[in-house]
Amino acid sequence: MKFGVCYYPEHWPEERWPLDAKLMRLAGINVVRIGEFSWSKLERREGEYSFEWLDKSLSILASEGIQVVLGTPTATPPKWIMDRHPDIYMRDNKGIVRGFGHRRHYCYNNPDYHAHVRSIVTKMAERYGGHRSVIAWQIDNEFGCTDTTRCYCQNCRTAFQQWLEDKYKDIDNLNEQWGTVFWSQIYNAFSEIELPGYTVFPLHNPGMELDFRRFSSDSAVRFQKIQLELIRSIAPNQPITHNMMGMFNEINDFDLSIELDFTSLDSYPNLMFTDKPDPRNAALALDATRGFKQSNFWVMEHQSGPPGGNLLFPTPRPGELRKWTYQSIAHGADAILYFRWRTCLFGAEQFWHGLLPHDGIPGRRYDEAARTGEELQRLLPLMEGIGSGAEVAIIRSYENEWTMEVQPQTFEHRYDRQLTAYYRHFYNSRVPVDIISDDSSFESYKLIVLPHYMMAKPGVAERLERYTAAGGTVVLDIRAGTKLWNNRMDDATLPGAFRELLGIRISDYGTLRKGETRRIAAASGETVGHGTVWYDVIACEKAEAIAWYADDYMAGTPAATRNAVGAGNAYYFGIGADPDCMRSLMGQVCESANIVPIAGISAPEEVELARRADSTQRFIFAINHAGEELSIQLAVPMRELISDRVLEGTVVIPAYGVYVFA
């Protein structure tokens, strides 16, 4: 198992490095990530490379048996590069330069920056491509972090124009697809097209807005590809990754992951702007990362202490570091690297705490990590590479998320809130979930859920019809089929491309503002919950109702429906369901699809149950997220792997405690 930390030897005197490496070894650490912010240390002036300090650091680490993930330092171009090429700086949507002083202060599409990137990455790959300690590369760091995906500079305008010409070929095709006849926006040449920057109202043509988000995401993918190709041409045997941010939505991480050897996540469960961290949010980010390549992943930055730049977020209490680590493992992490080794004394992250405090003396976080690492060295080899065994998949569509970002249509509601509502239902119900793209295969799942699938991607409706006819179950919901893939409204009767699959017609609809609800009833008339956000007025053509509106002008009409298609079923939810309504509707869906929760353990809601499983093996994690001991009930005696003993009946799980059952 790879168990490690993010390490910055350039921040500390060389005399300290041997002690750091020794303390790492004593804690069971066998890998570090290094170098990803060190460009000005590696190349102080153009062409003057200094690798000796890095060589020495790698040698000291190797003497303690510690391997290295080497980061390319392209997230932090040095000042001398920026002074020589000031057009490398990003510009915001008002055209204002976003200048030096932080990180990620570069434009993905700047050719001068590409030249410097090729130079530093080539030098690093030539020097370390055959190094026995370097086991992998990380490209850059957190693409898009701190609102650095969409740039509005002249280089991006030129690149966007070319991207559009490659896509549409003919300017009149673009005019037709975007509907530029509206408000006299017809273009005569691609060179006339501006970026969707600051204007008299914060909404440009929706087709343009969506394409700019597609282009910006593609720009990050292309920038990564420059480095991927360089490293692979020099060091073909070293795998390559990038550290992503889970539910971050500015870059399509399905696209970004295609050419990576494995994906990585930066996970900070306590980095929350709420009173209490919610373990469901951390679990969703983990499952989303596993879905990028539909395979297990590394946590390249794992919270070890309280995060904080100018503000300090909650300090993990004793046991929480271990608990969050096991949650990551439970959801598919095959390697853990804590961020960071030692809390920095200077710079913008003085309060982003590591395993060691500012004074460098090991304390409770170090001890807790060492204990956790010792346990995982025994456990993880048993389950490495084994996924979730999920029978349910939620489709995450970045392009539909971007479309609703441009035109949310409702107040205080977004795409990710709908996806999260489904995910939380399954989490609470102890049902493992995969988060996949609409390009993925559906056939291995019993149930596919498509939140807010407003734009119907070409071919997806037909694939869903075949999947359902073969015995699958599909759930679609409000706004499904409203638009075409170019972000124009579909003139077909709603739900557009999904009307045949769902067997319904939507004749009217409306928004519900914050605090507004509509009562939803079962066939008996009993209230099962409330609809929020939106309401559709539904007429069943072939489908049957499974829930009804109980008030307003649509009282007595269907709020949710089921349509039998071949051997399967297609469901439609015409409202945003509150938790009670979601339980009622999804209860019917899961029963028809034969979806069952993780079996053998009953637990209070504060205890998360997660699973890694394949056709022959099953590992169940019970993780207590409460700050007090709780009891769980085992249906049959089960072997607990951490303690290596058989438990049965009622079992007490300590505060922030973890059990792993096989």
Side-chain angles (χ1 to χ4, degrees):
M1 178 205 168
K2 302 303 179 187
F3 184 72
V5 292
C6 302
Y7 183 44
Y8 301 92
E10 67 269 28
H11 294 171
W12 307 102
E14 289 190 14
E15 299 77 34
R16 171 73 189 202
W17 296 357
L19 177 58
D20 282 337
K22 180 181 179 181
L23 289 172
M24 290 177 193
R25 174 181 56 79
L26 292 174
I29 289 166
N30 56 29
V31 63
V32 302
R33 186 191 69 183
I34 197 170
E36 78 277 8
F37 295 130
S38 61
W39 195 340
S40 62
K41 180 79 170 175
L42 294 169
E43 190 182 9
R44 178 75 175 269
R45 298 172 182 85
E46 185 171 13
E48 297 180 11
Y49 297 99
S50 177
F51 292 110
E52 291 74 20
W53 69 271
L54 186 54
D55 293 342
K56 183 175 181 180
S57 178
L58 266 60
S59 177
I60 291 171
L61 291 166
S63 71
E64 299 288 355
I66 298 170
Q67 298 174 311
V68 169
V69 176
L70 189 57
T72 67
T74 54
T76 51
K79 188 63 161 53
W80 62 263
I81 291 180
M82 307 311 294
D83 287 349
R84 188 163 303 174
H85 307 287
D87 63 330
I88 291 175
Y89 285 116
M90 297 189 74
R91 289 180 180 266
D92 68 13
N93 69 345
K94 293 183 176 69
I96 299 171
V97 170
R98 304 180 68 191
F100 198 82
H102 201 258
R103 58 177 177 168
R104 307 216 50 78
H105 45 276
Y106 67 82
C107 168
Y108 291 120
N109 293 300
N110 188 284
D112 291 320
Y113 190 51
H114 293 175
H116 285 288
V117 166
R118 288 188 174 94
S119 177
I120 187 66
V121 173
T122 297
K123 289 293 184 181
M124 292 182 72
E126 288 174 344
R127 192 173 189 94
Y128 301 108
H131 198 289
R132 61 187 178 88
S133 293
V134 177
I135 60 169
W137 292 81
Q138 176 188 290
I139 300 293
D140 206 285
N141 189 81
E142 294 182 339
F143 284 134
C145 180
T146 56
D147 186 29
T148 54
T149 301
R150 296 165 197 152
C151 175
Y152 298 81
C153 72
Q154 186 57 44
N155 286 305
C156 284
R157 183 188 177 201
T158 300
F160 184 46
Q161 290 168 350
Q162 186 60 58
W163 185 92
L164 292 170
E165 187 169 1
D166 292 342
K167 178 176 180 176
Y168 292 106
K169 311 302 181 187
D170 180 80
I171 192 64
D172 284 335
N173 182 29
L174 178 144
N175 285 318
E176 173 63 23
Q177 296 292 318
W178 284 5
T180 57
V181 68
F182 185 80
W183 279 351
S184 189
Q185 293 178 352
I186 295 172
Y187 298 102
N188 292 316
F190 288 100
S191 60
E192 292 182 356
I193 297 172
E194 302 284 347
L195 297 175
Y198 189 70
T199 186
V200 297
F201 188 77
L203 175 62
H204 285 261
N205 179 292
M208 176 192 227
E209 290 270 18
L210 176 59
D211 271 343
F212 183 65
R213 282 162 171 74
R214 287 166 166 160
F215 157 78
S216 298
S217 178
D218 286 353
S219 296
V221 174
R222 286 195 304 272
F223 181 79
Q224 176 181 261
K225 188 177 178 68
I226 292 172
Q227 301 190 46
L228 278 165
E229 291 180 343
L230 274 173
I231 294 172
R232 288 211 171 108
S233 69
I234 299 168
N237 297 319
Q238 292 170 329
I240 303 173
T241 190
H242 174 74
N243 55 327
M244 302 171 193
M245 295 174 285
M247 291 304 291
F248 173 81
N249 79 341
E250 292 181 8
I251 297 170
N252 185 330
D253 284 331
F254 293 115
D255 292 344
L256 195 68
S257 301
I258 289 172
E259 294 195 48
L260 295 174
D261 294 294
F262 62 94
T263 55
S264 297
L265 171 69
D266 291 354
S267 179
Y268 296 96
N270 281 22
L271 188 61
M272 305 292 297
F273 292 89
T274 57
D275 293 334
K276 184 179 180 181
D278 191 328
R280 297 174 297 184
N281 295 334
L284 174 55
L286 293 160
D287 284 343
T289 305
R290 192 181 68 248
F292 293 147
K293 288 183 77 71
Q294 291 188 264
S295 63
N296 287 357
F297 57 93
W298 289 27
V299 177
M300 195 61 75
E301 296 182 16
H302 200 293
Q303 178 175 328
S304 59
N310 54 340
L311 296 172
L312 202 63
F313 290 85
T315 298
R317 296 178 178 276
E320 278 200 285
L321 184 152
R322 176 175 177 265
K323 175 200 75 168
W324 291 125
T325 301
Y326 271 101
Q327 187 191 44
S328 296
I329 299 296
H331 288 268
D334 279 348
I336 299 289
L337 282 77
Y338 294 112
F339 186 92
R340 60 175 69 218
W341 170 240
R342 180 176 173 183
T343 313
C344 198
L345 302 179
F346 43 74
E349 293 184 344
Q350 298 173 46
F351 301 125
W352 207 290
H353 292 70
L355 286 183
L356 301 188
H358 291 102
D359 63 10
I361 299 173
R364 73 168 177 88
R365 292 197 299 271
Y366 172 90
D367 294 341
E368 192 171 318
R371 173 195 171 190
T372 306
E374 187 278 326
E375 293 170 354
L376 292 178
Q377 293 294 349
R378 293 185 286 109
L379 265 61
L380 198 55
L382 303 175
M383 61 188 75
E384 191 169 6
I386 296 176
S388 67
E391 298 177 325
V392 176
I394 299 175
I395 301 295
R396 184 183 184 187
S397 169
Y398 283 88
E399 288 167 286
N400 273 292
E401 186 166 3
W402 296 334
T403 294
M404 292 197 72
E405 187 176 67
V406 173
Q407 294 173 295
Q409 302 160 79
T410 65
F411 289 83
E412 300 186 8
H413 182 70
R414 297 294 183 270
Y415 174 97
D416 68 309
R417 294 185 188 178
Q418 188 79 343
L419 188 151
T420 300
Y422 286 118
Y423 183 85
R424 288 183 171 187
H425 167 79
F426 290 118
Y427 176 104
N428 294 341
S429 302
R430 323 303 199 175
V431 174
V433 173
D434 284 348
I435 312 293
I436 64 174
S437 81
D438 49 15
D439 290 323
S440 301
S441 172
F442 303 153
E443 280 63 35
S444 62
Y445 300 100
K446 292 181 178 180
L447 171 60
I448 302 289
V449 180
L450 297 94
H452 287 332
Y453 203 72
M454 188 160 66
M455 293 191 305
K457 189 173 188 177
V460 169
E462 293 77 12
R463 290 176 58 209
L464 289 173
E465 288 173 8
R466 292 193 297 271
Y467 163 80
T468 309
T473 300
V474 170
V475 173
L476 287 151
D477 62 20
I478 50 178
R479 310 315 286 140
T482 305
K483 289 195 170 192
L484 304 174
W485 198 239
N486 56 14
N487 212 10
R488 288 177 54 145
M489 301 303 296
D490 192 346
D491 62 3
T493 300
L494 294 178
F498 304 111
R499 185 178 178 187
E500 181 66 24
L501 172 67
L502 296 169
I504 61 173
R505 174 173 56 84
I506 296 170
S507 60
D508 201 3
Y509 53 75
T511 63
L512 298 175
R513 303 206 177 191
K514 186 176 182 180
E516 268 195 286
T517 62
R518 296 296 181 268
R519 193 159 55 90
I520 307 300
S524 64
E526 177 188 0
T527 298
V528 296
H530 291 81
T532 65
V533 178
W534 190 270
Y535 64 87
D536 284 324
V537 181
I538 302 170
C540 289
E541 296 181 322
K542 295 185 295 181
E544 63 176 0
I546 63 168
W548 291 259
Y549 293 107
D551 50 25
D552 209 343
Y553 74 91
M554 59 282 199
T557 66
T561 61
R562 179 186 72 88
N563 188 37
V565 180
N569 292 291
Y571 289 84
Y572 184 76
F573 298 170
I575 37 82
D578 73 0
D580 289 336
C581 189
M582 181 71 79
R583 277 191 294 273
S584 175
L585 297 180
M586 271 300 177
Q588 297 180 64
V589 171
C590 288
E591 183 178 2
S592 74
N594 193 28
I595 302 296
V596 295
I598 294 171
I601 303 176
S602 299
E605 63 180 14
E606 296 90 348
V607 176
E608 175 181 356
L609 298 183
R611 181 181 70 197
R612 291 177 73 153
D614 60 17
S615 59
T616 61
Q617 301 176 89
R618 184 190 69 161
F619 302 92
I620 300 175
F621 293 73
I623 304 169
N624 184 3
H625 292 289
E628 60 184 0
E629 67 177 31
L630 297 170
S631 294
I632 61 175
Q633 186 71 33
L634 306 184
V636 296
M638 302 175 72
R639 178 165 294 279
E640 201 284 309
L641 297 179
I642 300 175
S643 62
D644 192 25
R645 58 197 176 103
V646 175
L647 302 179
E648 59 183 316
T650 300
V651 176
V652 173
I653 182 168
Y656 306 130
V658 179
Y659 291 142
V660 183
F661 296 100

